[in-house]
Amino acid sequence: MKINKRKIKYATIFFICWFALLVFLVDGVLKFQTLVDYFGSYTLVEINLLLLVILPTWAVYKFTKEK
């Protein structure tokens, strides 16, 4: 498998920005404990937050076109 530096660069930039936005929203605006109380499970909230970061990052990597 060939490593595509451009695709990795865009996916990394997206990952950092999206992760920072989610941290701001979850820790600052929504309050993490409120989410845990609402969903009822710490594990469920953590898994969903990880998937909200990993899946879009993977999609950006997958759909970035290499010139």
Side-chain angles (χ1 to χ4, degrees), residues 9-20:
K9 180 178 76 171
Y10 286 128
T12 303
I13 291 169
F14 179 82
F15 173 82
I16 292 169
C17 293
W18 186 241
F19 184 76

Side-chain angles (χ1 to χ4, degrees), residues 35-51:
L35 290 174
V36 172
D37 293 340
Y38 182 76
F39 290 109
S41 171
Y42 177 83
T43 307
L44 180 66
V45 173
E46 281 292 321
I47 290 172
N48 284 329
L49 290 173
L50 284 173
L51 288 176

Side-chain angles (χ1 to χ4, degrees), residues 2-66:
K2 183 182 173 187
I3 296 177
N4 300 319
K5 290 181 182 179
R6 182 171 188 242
K7 291 174 81 168
I8 291 173
K9 180 178 76 171
Y10 286 128
T12 303
I13 291 169
F14 179 82
F15 173 82
I16 292 169
C17 293
W18 186 241
F19 184 76
L21 177 67
L22 280 178
V23 166
F24 171 74
L25 287 176
V26 170
D27 287 340
V29 177
L30 299 174
K31 305 295 182 208
F32 184 78
Q33 190 58 43
T34 306
L35 290 174
V36 172
D37 293 340
Y38 182 76
F39 290 109
S41 171
Y42 177 83
T43 307
L44 180 66
V45 173
E46 281 292 321
I47 290 172
N48 284 329
L49 290 173
L50 284 173
L51 288 176
L52 277 174
V53 171
I54 293 170
L55 292 178
T57 302
W58 177 79
V60 167
Y61 177 79
K62 191 74 172 167
F63 296 119
T64 301
K65 299 209 184 290
E66 188 69 31

